Amino acid sequence: MFTSPHITRATSVRALMVKVLVALVPGIAAYVWFFGAGILVSIAIASAAALAGEAAMLRARAKPLGLFLGDGSALVTAWLLALSFPPLAPWWLVAAASLFAIVVVKHLYGGLGQNPFNPAMAAFCAMIVAFPALMSQWPAPGLPFDVQLGLILGTSRPPDAVTAATALDALRTGLREAGAKGSVPAVLASGPAFGAFGGHGWEWVSAGYALGGLWLLQQRVFTWHVPVAFLAAFALIATGFHLADPVRHASALFHLASGATMLAAFFITTDPVTGSTTARGKLILGAAVALIAYLIRAFGAYPDGIAFAVLLMDMWVPLIDRTTRPPVFGHTRK
Amino acid sequence: MERTEIFEIARNGLWKQNPALTQLLGLCPTLAISTSVVNGASLGLATVLVMALASALTAALRNLIPYEIRIPVFILIIASLVTMVDLAFNAWFHSLYLVLGIFIPLIVVNCIVLARVEVFAAKNGVLSSAWDGITMGAGLVVVLALLGGLRELLGAGTLFGGIDMVFEGARPLHVLPEAYPGFLVAILPPGAFLLLGFLIAGRNWLEERAARRARGAAHEARPAAA
C-alpha cells in the first residue's frame, strides 16, 4: 500500500494530550517542592469534576463515552485550570470552574474541536470576576499539607499568615501604597514574595513549565510560532516600558518569570482548537496576547491579564485565520 | 372575538412567538434590567401596560393613519403612552422608578412594542389588538421574571429582593444559606446572556420533544388506521 518510503506514525488526540500532561509534570514538581502538595489535591478535584462533566455531556449528546472520555482532553483542561487557580481555593470553586469549562465553554459549543474559547481560561475569567477574594488566596511557601488541605476542603478558615501575595500582586500593592515615591527596585528589595529574578518559588515553577514546553516543541506537538511570538513580544514590550520608566515598570525577566507567562506561552496560547491555524496568524496571535496581557498587568485592575488576553484574542482568531490564509498553489494574492 | 381566536392569540404571545425566547425582540431591557425578579417583572408589567394601550389605540385609529407615515404615527402613540407610564411610576413607585431609571422611557424604542403594533394592531380590531398586546407582554413578563429570578438566586441567593419598593413592609426570601458566596457573574451582563441562552435552549428542547411525540403518535396511529 505504501509504495514510497513514507514514515507513518499514528498521531491521535489521546497521544497528543498525554504528551501535554507529561510536559506539565516538571512545573507541577517545582510547584509541589516550593508550595506543598496542596496543588495535587486541587488537580485531583479539577480532574474528577471535569471527567464527570465530560461524561454527563457526552451521554446527553449521545456520543460514544469511551472514545471521547479516554482522549484526555478533559484532563488537560482540568490540569491547566487547577494550575492557573490559586492552590488554596476551596474545592467547590475548583469543581464549579471545571464543570463550567467542560459543560458550558466546551460542550455547549459543540465539544472538542468546536469551542471558540479556551475552556480553562474562560472558567478562570468567570471565577475571578465572580469571586475576586477567593481567587487571590495564594499560599505562602512552606505551608504544611494539613493546613492546605483544611483550606481546600473548607474545614478551617484561612489565617492571614498562610496566604501570601504573588509577586505581581505584591508589586502592584507595593507601588500603590508607596504612592508617588514608590519604585519597582525598592518594592522588589523589600518583600518576601520576590525571589532571585521573579516571584519567590514561582520563578522555578515557570522554569519547569518552560522545560516541559520545550520538550513539546521538540516533539512537534505545536510549532514554534506562538510561543516565540508571545515571549518575544512580551519581552520587547516589558523592556520598552522598563527602559522608558524603570521606576514604575519591572524588567522583562521579572515579567517572564512571574504570573502565568510561561504556562500561557507553551500550554494555553498553543491550544490547537482555539488558536490560529496559519503560520502568520500564530505570530499575530502570540504577539497580540502578549500586548493585551502586559497592558492589563501594568495598567488594569487585575494583577495578571493573561486569561482575559487569551479570551479577547480567541474572538479574533477566525478573522486572523481568514486574512492570513496563504494563497492556493498557482494563484497569486490579490 | 371568537374563542379560538382568543386562545390562538394567547398561545402565540405566551409560547409560540414568545417575544424574548422566540422573536428575540426587545433584548436590551430583557438583558439589562433582569437582575432580580422585582426589577424584571416591574419593567415587564410597565411594558404590558404600554403594549395593551398602544395596540388598542392603534387599532382604533388604523383606518385614519396614512400608510406612508404610519411608523412615525405609531411611535408618537407609543411615546405618549410611555410618558404616562413614566410619570405614573415616578408618582407611585418612586424607589422602583429610580432603579429602573432610563429603561422606562426606553420602552418607546423597544422593538417588541412597535413590532406588535405594525404586525398585528394595524390590521386587526381593537379588542383582538389589546388582547394581543396583553398576552405578548405577559410572555415578556414571564421570561423577565424567570431570568431575574435565576440571576438573583445564583448571584445573591435571594428571591424578590427589593420587594419593599412595590409592597411596603414585604421582605425578600433568603432561599440559600447566609454563607452562600454569591456567583456574581450571574448578576453581571455575561450572566444575562448565558442564562437567556439556557432558557431559549430549554424552550427549544420542550418544543422538539413535543414534535417528536406528535410524530411518534402519528406513526403509531397510521398502521391501526390502515
Side-chain angles (χ1 to χ4, degrees):
Chain A
M1 189 176 167
F2 300 106
T3 51
S4 303
H6 296 308
I7 298 171
T8 62
R9 191 175 51 170
T11 51
S12 63
V13 175
R14 189 190 165 89
L16 207 71
M17 294 297 169
V18 168
K19 276 183 183 170
V20 174
L21 292 180
V22 170
L24 281 169
V25 168
I28 297 175
Y31 211 130
V32 172
W33 175 263
F34 282 101
F35 299 101
I39 184 66
L40 298 179
V41 181
S42 270
I43 291 178
I45 294 168
S47 303
L51 288 177
E54 179 95 356
M57 284 311 281
L58 287 172
R59 180 171 282 259
R61 298 177 60 217
K63 300 274 178 196
L65 211 63
L67 177 67
F68 286 104
L69 205 56
D71 71 10
S73 61
L75 274 185
V76 169
T77 298
W79 284 31
L80 290 175
L81 188 132
L83 289 175
S84 56
F85 271 50
L88 299 185
W91 65 272
W92 54 265
L93 185 68
V94 178
S98 277
L99 286 176
F100 183 80
I102 296 292
V103 173
V104 177
V105 187
K106 184 176 170 191
H107 273 289
L108 289 188
Y109 285 95
L112 182 65
Q114 304 291 329
N115 47 310
F117 296 105
N118 185 306
M121 289 301 102
F124 180 88
C125 289
M127 293 304 153
I128 200 168
V129 171
F131 308 106
L134 288 171
M135 288 294 285
S136 51
Q137 274 186 20
W138 295 86
L143 204 59
F145 181 67
D146 56 319
V147 178
Q148 296 200 357
L149 202 62
L151 286 172
I152 293 172
L153 298 180
T155 49
S156 63
R157 303 293 300 161
D160 284 341
V162 304
T163 57
T166 63
L168 290 172
D169 266 325
L171 181 63
R172 168 178 298 261
T173 37
L175 281 179
R176 196 186 297 135
E177 277 166 8
K181 298 196 302 292
S183 74
V184 169
V187 175
L188 287 187
S190 66
F194 305 104
F197 48 89
H200 179 77
W202 296 108
E203 51 202 15
W204 297 109
V205 178
S206 291
Y209 292 146
L211 191 70
L214 290 176
W215 178 71
L216 285 183
L217 197 59
Q218 188 265 330
Q219 290 286 308
R220 300 194 186 177
V221 169
F222 46 74
T223 62
W224 58 270
H225 301 82
V226 180
V228 168
F230 176 79
L231 291 175
F234 215 111
L236 264 178
I237 297 163
T239 307
F241 275 101
H242 182 63
L243 288 180
D245 188 2
V247 176
R248 308 293 299 178
H249 294 278
S251 71
L253 189 60
F254 175 82
H255 275 292
L256 290 187
S258 307
T261 315
M262 283 299 161
L263 190 66
F266 291 104
F267 294 94
I268 289 166
T269 52
T270 52
D271 180 353
V273 174
T274 59
S276 180
T277 51
T278 63
R280 280 197 306 148
K282 287 175 183 170
L283 292 175
I284 296 172
L285 179 75
V289 170
L291 175 66
I292 300 172
Y294 186 85
L295 291 179
I296 296 178
R297 250 186 211 187
F299 305 106
Y302 290 99
D304 204 351
I306 285 180
F308 293 103
V310 168
L311 287 197
L312 282 172
M313 286 318 293
D314 280 348
M315 282 193 267
W316 287 88
V317 161
L319 187 67
I320 294 175
D321 273 353
R322 214 183 136 78
T323 48
T324 58
R325 196 166 43 196
V328 178
F329 182 71
H331 290 250
T332 47
R333 198 179 291 277
K334 271 188 286 203
Chain B
M1 272 200 296
E2 289 171 33
R3 257 180 87 97
T4 50
E5 197 193 353
I6 295 176
F7 280 116
E8 192 51 36
I9 290 174
R11 213 174 99 79
N12 264 343
L14 289 172
W15 183 257
K16 218 171 137 200
Q17 293 186 32
N18 185 298
L21 295 184
T22 310
Q23 305 186 53
L24 299 186
L25 287 178
L27 282 188
C28 167
T30 306
L31 296 171
I33 214 70
S34 63
T35 48
S36 72
V37 180
V38 172
N39 286 356
S42 337
L43 190 76
L45 289 173
T47 314
V48 173
L49 201 61
V50 172
M51 286 181 77
L53 293 174
S55 288
L57 207 56
T58 313
L61 299 172
R62 69 185 188 279
N63 294 325
L64 302 173
I65 301 172
Y67 183 76
E68 290 77 10
I69 56 159
R70 69 193 188 285
I71 302 288
V73 176
F74 293 162
I75 291 289
L76 276 178
I77 293 173
I78 298 168
S80 3
L81 294 168
V82 168
T83 310
M84 287 161 53
V85 170
D86 187 58
L87 292 173
F89 261 73
N90 196 355
W92 286 304
F93 305 109
H94 188 70
S95 47
L96 192 63
Y97 177 80
L98 294 179
V99 173
L100 297 181
I102 188 69
F103 288 98
I104 297 177
L106 276 183
I107 296 175
V108 179
V109 286
N110 190 331
C111 354
I112 188 63
V113 184
L114 185 63
R116 289 329 286 179
V117 166
E118 160 82 0
V119 170
F120 197 94
K123 298 161 190 161
N124 289 282
V126 175
L127 277 180
S128 312
S129 299
W131 182 237
D132 178 73
I134 291 171
T135 54
M136 277 287 161
L140 191 68
V141 172
V142 171
V143 175
L144 276 170
L146 209 60
L147 193 59
L150 282 173
R151 291 178 71 183
E152 197 182 342
L153 188 65
L154 285 174
T158 61
L159 276 179
F160 304 105
I163 187 85
D164 54 313
M165 292 188 292
V166 187
F167 303 108
E168 234 164 277
R171 298 201 165 278
L173 293 174
H174 288 274
V175 184
L176 297 176
E178 201 68 12
Y180 178 69
F183 186 57
L184 198 62
V185 172
I187 294 196
L188 296 173
F193 281 102
L194 279 171
L195 290 169
L196 182 68
F198 278 115
L199 286 182
I200 294 171
R203 185 200 171 277
N204 289 347
W205 180 73
L206 285 174
E207 279 280 280
E208 240 173 61
R209 198 181 59 163
R212 220 171 27 240
R213 281 193 182 161
R215 269 203 308 277
H219 199 68
E220 277 166 26
R222 212 175 300 133

